[in-house]
Amino acid sequence: MDRAPGAHVVNAVIQARASSTRLPGKVLRPLSGRSVLGWVVRAAAASPGIDDVVVATSTEAEDDAVAAEAERHGALVARGPLDDVLARFAVAIESYPADAVVRLTADCPLLDPALIGQLVTLWRARPSLDYLSTTLVRTLPRGFDAELVRAEVLAEQVETARGADREHVTSGIYSRPETYSCSGIVVSPSAEDLRVTLDTAEDWAVIEGVVAELGDRVGDWREVVAVLRARPDLAKLNAHVEQKKVAR
């Protein structure tokens, strides 16, 4: 995209892998004519203020298909260790330098570009912030998660993070507000009880149901919430699914 001289570069980095403990191959599943990963790349590319879209996958042979699918949808690719997601982000920044990155996950096909753009706008207005997200105080459905991290802070985490913080990438930042300046987006009315991320077969049924209602287009969180509020039969399909906790 065109940038003013001296403007901060903000790239979207989507973490993706073929292996998944609960729903293997989920990011390559076809959803209304494109893969789940294709939906996420499209949303990232449509987000105001995003410069490049990078898919960070592993160097394992099984992720060759993920890399190929990312490129097919116009994304750049960075590859690193399967079990060290933070190291993959380090490769992404080294390969495609940026002043900040927006971390996205490839299992959220209904991502709303407007929310991602809002994070970027807020950070560009106050680039001293270390971390911004849609989840610092969760009011959105799970599945609209986006986090912006200043590149220097992410580089610091690459050097110092251990254990689960390397898998979860940003947990060593938002869990330390005394060290890092954090901010976020909240919406009203709250809809944190809803779930449109893809971890289980029940999640897949909900996402397919929403897409059947709204069609093949980039996500709008208000429309998704409206569908699920109007269709409690759909929303209850995955209401019992629990997100994996960050082990610290």
Side-chain angles (χ1 to χ4, degrees):
M1 67 179 294
D2 293 331
R3 285 192 305 271
H8 291 105
V9 175
V10 181
N11 290 345
V13 179
I14 303 164
Q15 63 185 70
R17 59 176 182 147
S19 56
S20 169
T21 54
R22 293 206 272 189
L23 199 63
K26 62 184 179 180
V27 304
L28 298 177
R29 281 193 172 208
L31 179 64
S32 189
R34 72 185 69 232
S35 65
V36 169
L37 178 59
W39 278 71
V40 179
V41 170
R42 178 177 60 173
S47 301
I50 290 295
D51 292 299
D52 287 325
V53 178
V54 183
V55 171
T57 192
S58 87
T59 53
E60 300 294 313
E62 65 182 339
D63 283 326
D64 290 349
V66 173
E69 182 68 1
E71 290 174 342
R72 193 169 76 82
H73 286 280
L76 301 168
V77 174
R79 304 185 70 168
L82 176 64
D83 296 323
D84 189 345
V85 186
L86 188 53
R88 280 190 255 153
F89 274 76
V91 174
I93 288 187
E94 182 179 344
S95 302
Y96 312 105
D99 299 294
V101 299
V102 173
R103 178 196 177 214
L104 305 172
T105 58
D107 53 6
C108 296
L110 303 183
L111 280 167
D112 187 336
L115 289 172
I116 297 169
Q118 193 175 345
L119 287 180
V120 177
T121 297
L122 290 170
W123 182 75
R124 288 188 192 278
R126 192 180 165 196
S128 60
L129 284 169
D130 296 318
Y131 174 89
L132 297 100
S133 81
T134 61
T135 58
L136 197 58
V137 176
R138 183 176 291 281
T139 55
L140 285 156
R142 196 174 291 275
F144 292 103
D145 302 16
E147 304 169 285
L148 183 149
V149 185
R150 204 159 54 82
E152 291 91 338
V153 172
L154 198 57
E156 201 173 281
Q157 288 297 297
V158 170
E159 295 301 320
T160 62
R162 299 289 181 269
D165 289 337
R166 300 199 71 83
E167 177 188 355
H168 296 284
V169 182
T170 57
S171 54
I173 303 169
Y174 63 72
S175 65
R176 297 169 61 198
E178 73 284 355
T179 301
Y180 297 111
S181 55
C182 303
S183 188
I185 295 171
V186 298
V187 302
S188 183
S190 180
E192 84 282 357
D193 58 303
L194 300 174
R195 178 182 174 89
V196 287
T197 191
L198 180 57
D199 271 331
T200 68
E202 295 90 341
D203 292 333
W204 181 245
V206 172
I207 290 169
E208 281 196 311
V210 170
V211 170
E213 295 274 355
L214 297 178
D216 174 26
R217 53 193 172 93
V218 293
D220 180 320
W221 74 267
R222 292 177 181 84
E223 291 185 353
V224 172
V225 170
V227 167
L228 292 174
R229 293 301 189 214
R231 292 277 311 278
D233 59 309
L234 191 57
K236 75 178 182 181
L237 292 178
N238 67 352
H240 64 285
V241 177
E242 291 189 7
Q243 196 73 9
K244 290 182 180 179
K245 300 293 189 291
V246 177
R248 300 189 61 81

PDB file of all heavy atoms in Angstrom, residues 194 213 223-235:
ATOM      1  N   LEU A 194     -20.249 -15.590  22.895  1.00  0.00           N
ATOM      2  CA  LEU A 194     -20.339 -16.264  21.601  1.00  0.00           C
ATOM      3  C   LEU A 194     -18.972 -16.727  21.126  1.00  0.00           C
ATOM      4  O   LEU A 194     -17.944 -16.201  21.551  1.00  0.00           O
ATOM      5  CB  LEU A 194     -20.966 -15.322  20.565  1.00  0.00           C
ATOM      6  CG  LEU A 194     -22.379 -14.833  20.896  1.00  0.00           C
ATOM      7  CD1 LEU A 194     -22.835 -13.802  19.874  1.00  0.00           C
ATOM      8  CD2 LEU A 194     -23.359 -15.995  20.969  1.00  0.00           C
ATOM      9  N   GLU A 213     -25.637 -17.963   6.242  1.00  0.00           N
ATOM     10  CA  GLU A 213     -26.519 -16.797   6.400  1.00  0.00           C
ATOM     11  C   GLU A 213     -25.946 -15.547   5.732  1.00  0.00           C
ATOM     12  O   GLU A 213     -26.680 -14.770   5.116  1.00  0.00           O
ATOM     13  CB  GLU A 213     -26.744 -16.507   7.892  1.00  0.00           C
ATOM     14  CG  GLU A 213     -27.492 -17.586   8.643  1.00  0.00           C
ATOM     15  CD  GLU A 213     -29.006 -17.437   8.553  1.00  0.00           C
ATOM     16  OE1 GLU A 213     -29.475 -16.437   7.978  1.00  0.00           O
ATOM     17  OE2 GLU A 213     -29.710 -18.338   9.050  1.00  0.00           O
ATOM     18  N   GLU A 223     -22.717  -8.115  12.319  1.00  0.00           N
ATOM     19  CA  GLU A 223     -23.586  -9.016  11.562  1.00  0.00           C
ATOM     20  C   GLU A 223     -23.503 -10.444  12.088  1.00  0.00           C
ATOM     21  O   GLU A 223     -24.518 -11.149  12.165  1.00  0.00           O
ATOM     22  CB  GLU A 223     -23.213  -8.981  10.081  1.00  0.00           C
ATOM     23  CG  GLU A 223     -23.533  -7.664   9.394  1.00  0.00           C
ATOM     24  CD  GLU A 223     -23.251  -7.717   7.904  1.00  0.00           C
ATOM     25  OE1 GLU A 223     -22.679  -8.727   7.438  1.00  0.00           O
ATOM     26  OE2 GLU A 223     -23.613  -6.756   7.210  1.00  0.00           O
ATOM     27  N   VAL A 224     -22.307 -10.867  12.439  1.00  0.00           N
ATOM     28  CA  VAL A 224     -22.134 -12.214  12.991  1.00  0.00           C
ATOM     29  C   VAL A 224     -22.892 -12.352  14.307  1.00  0.00           C
ATOM     30  O   VAL A 224     -23.602 -13.339  14.539  1.00  0.00           O
ATOM     31  CB  VAL A 224     -20.636 -12.540  13.182  1.00  0.00           C
ATOM     32  CG1 VAL A 224     -20.462 -13.857  13.925  1.00  0.00           C
ATOM     33  CG2 VAL A 224     -19.928 -12.595  11.829  1.00  0.00           C
ATOM     34  N   VAL A 225     -22.760 -11.350  15.176  1.00  0.00           N
ATOM     35  CA  VAL A 225     -23.482 -11.379  16.449  1.00  0.00           C
ATOM     36  C   VAL A 225     -24.987 -11.402  16.202  1.00  0.00           C
ATOM     37  O   VAL A 225     -25.731 -12.154  16.850  1.00  0.00           O
ATOM     38  CB  VAL A 225     -23.089 -10.178  17.334  1.00  0.00           C
ATOM     39  CG1 VAL A 225     -24.016 -10.058  18.541  1.00  0.00           C
ATOM     40  CG2 VAL A 225     -21.640 -10.315  17.809  1.00  0.00           C
ATOM     41  N   ALA A 226     -25.453 -10.604  15.246  1.00  0.00           N
ATOM     42  CA  ALA A 226     -26.891 -10.547  14.947  1.00  0.00           C
ATOM     43  C   ALA A 226     -27.414 -11.917  14.502  1.00  0.00           C
ATOM     44  O   ALA A 226     -28.506 -12.341  14.919  1.00  0.00           O
ATOM     45  CB  ALA A 226     -27.166  -9.492  13.874  1.00  0.00           C
ATOM     46  N   VAL A 227     -26.637 -12.611  13.669  1.00  0.00           N
ATOM     47  CA  VAL A 227     -27.043 -13.944  13.228  1.00  0.00           C
ATOM     48  C   VAL A 227     -27.153 -14.890  14.419  1.00  0.00           C
ATOM     49  O   VAL A 227     -28.142 -15.616  14.575  1.00  0.00           O
ATOM     50  CB  VAL A 227     -26.048 -14.506  12.183  1.00  0.00           C
ATOM     51  CG1 VAL A 227     -26.273 -15.999  11.967  1.00  0.00           C
ATOM     52  CG2 VAL A 227     -26.166 -13.762  10.871  1.00  0.00           C
ATOM     53  N   LEU A 228     -26.149 -14.883  15.278  1.00  0.00           N
ATOM     54  CA  LEU A 228     -26.135 -15.830  16.391  1.00  0.00           C
ATOM     55  C   LEU A 228     -27.178 -15.487  17.452  1.00  0.00           C
ATOM     56  O   LEU A 228     -27.715 -16.392  18.110  1.00  0.00           O
ATOM     57  CB  LEU A 228     -24.735 -15.892  17.000  1.00  0.00           C
ATOM     58  CG  LEU A 228     -23.682 -16.525  16.082  1.00  0.00           C
ATOM     59  CD1 LEU A 228     -22.290 -16.428  16.702  1.00  0.00           C
ATOM     60  CD2 LEU A 228     -24.023 -17.980  15.771  1.00  0.00           C
ATOM     61  N   ARG A 229     -27.485 -14.207  17.623  1.00  0.00           N
ATOM     62  CA  ARG A 229     -28.556 -13.838  18.560  1.00  0.00           C
ATOM     63  C   ARG A 229     -29.929 -14.246  18.006  1.00  0.00           C
ATOM     64  O   ARG A 229     -30.822 -14.642  18.751  1.00  0.00           O
ATOM     65  CB  ARG A 229     -28.544 -12.326  18.825  1.00  0.00           C
ATOM     66  CG  ARG A 229     -27.316 -11.812  19.575  1.00  0.00           C
ATOM     67  CD  ARG A 229     -27.150 -12.454  20.924  1.00  0.00           C
ATOM     68  NE  ARG A 229     -26.098 -11.819  21.711  1.00  0.00           N
ATOM     69  CZ  ARG A 229     -25.310 -12.466  22.556  1.00  0.00           C
ATOM     70  NH1 ARG A 229     -25.431 -13.779  22.718  1.00  0.00           N
ATOM     71  NH2 ARG A 229     -24.382 -11.830  23.253  1.00  0.00           N
ATOM     72  N   ALA A 230     -30.057 -14.167  16.676  1.00  0.00           N
ATOM     73  CA  ALA A 230     -31.326 -14.543  16.051  1.00  0.00           C
ATOM     74  C   ALA A 230     -31.475 -16.059  15.919  1.00  0.00           C
ATOM     75  O   ALA A 230     -32.586 -16.561  15.716  1.00  0.00           O
ATOM     76  CB  ALA A 230     -31.437 -13.898  14.673  1.00  0.00           C
ATOM     77  N   ARG A 231     -30.333 -16.768  16.022  1.00  0.00           N
ATOM     78  CA  ARG A 231     -30.333 -18.224  15.862  1.00  0.00           C
ATOM     79  C   ARG A 231     -29.714 -18.877  17.106  1.00  0.00           C
ATOM     80  O   ARG A 231     -28.615 -19.422  17.053  1.00  0.00           O
ATOM     81  CB  ARG A 231     -29.516 -18.604  14.618  1.00  0.00           C
ATOM     82  CG  ARG A 231     -30.115 -18.191  13.272  1.00  0.00           C
ATOM     83  CD  ARG A 231     -31.133 -19.207  12.810  1.00  0.00           C
ATOM     84  NE  ARG A 231     -30.641 -20.579  12.890  1.00  0.00           N
ATOM     85  CZ  ARG A 231     -29.868 -21.165  11.955  1.00  0.00           C
ATOM     86  NH1 ARG A 231     -29.510 -20.488  10.872  1.00  0.00           N
ATOM     87  NH2 ARG A 231     -29.476 -22.421  12.098  1.00  0.00           N
ATOM     88  N   PRO A 232     -30.418 -18.846  18.238  1.00  0.00           N
ATOM     89  CA  PRO A 232     -29.852 -19.473  19.439  1.00  0.00           C
ATOM     90  C   PRO A 232     -29.586 -20.958  19.257  1.00  0.00           C
ATOM     91  O   PRO A 232     -28.711 -21.521  19.914  1.00  0.00           O
ATOM     92  CB  PRO A 232     -30.921 -19.212  20.514  1.00  0.00           C
ATOM     93  CG  PRO A 232     -32.167 -18.870  19.761  1.00  0.00           C
ATOM     94  CD  PRO A 232     -31.725 -18.216  18.493  1.00  0.00           C
ATOM     95  N   ASP A 233     -30.322 -21.590  18.323  1.00  0.00           N
ATOM     96  CA  ASP A 233     -30.072 -23.000  18.034  1.00  0.00           C
ATOM     97  C   ASP A 233     -28.676 -23.206  17.471  1.00  0.00           C
ATOM     98  O   ASP A 233     -28.011 -24.215  17.742  1.00  0.00           O
ATOM     99  CB  ASP A 233     -31.101 -23.520  17.035  1.00  0.00           C
ATOM    100  CG  ASP A 233     -31.077 -22.743  15.715  1.00  0.00           C
ATOM    101  OD1 ASP A 233     -31.130 -21.499  15.748  1.00  0.00           O
ATOM    102  OD2 ASP A 233     -30.991 -23.382  14.647  1.00  0.00           O
ATOM    103  N   LEU A 234     -28.208 -22.231  16.702  1.00  0.00           N
ATOM    104  CA  LEU A 234     -26.862 -22.283  16.120  1.00  0.00           C
ATOM    105  C   LEU A 234     -25.816 -21.960  17.181  1.00  0.00           C
ATOM    106  O   LEU A 234     -24.814 -22.662  17.325  1.00  0.00           O
ATOM    107  CB  LEU A 234     -26.776 -21.296  14.957  1.00  0.00           C
ATOM    108  CG  LEU A 234     -25.560 -21.344  14.030  1.00  0.00           C
ATOM    109  CD1 LEU A 234     -25.402 -22.723  13.398  1.00  0.00           C
ATOM    110  CD2 LEU A 234     -25.684 -20.264  12.955  1.00  0.00           C
ATOM    111  N   ALA A 235     -26.062 -20.903  17.944  1.00  0.00           N
ATOM    112  CA  ALA A 235     -25.087 -20.461  18.946  1.00  0.00           C
ATOM    113  C   ALA A 235     -24.838 -21.513  20.018  1.00  0.00           C
ATOM    114  O   ALA A 235     -23.721 -21.634  20.542  1.00  0.00           O
ATOM    115  CB  ALA A 235     -25.552 -19.156  19.590  1.00  0.00           C
TER     116      ALA A 235
END
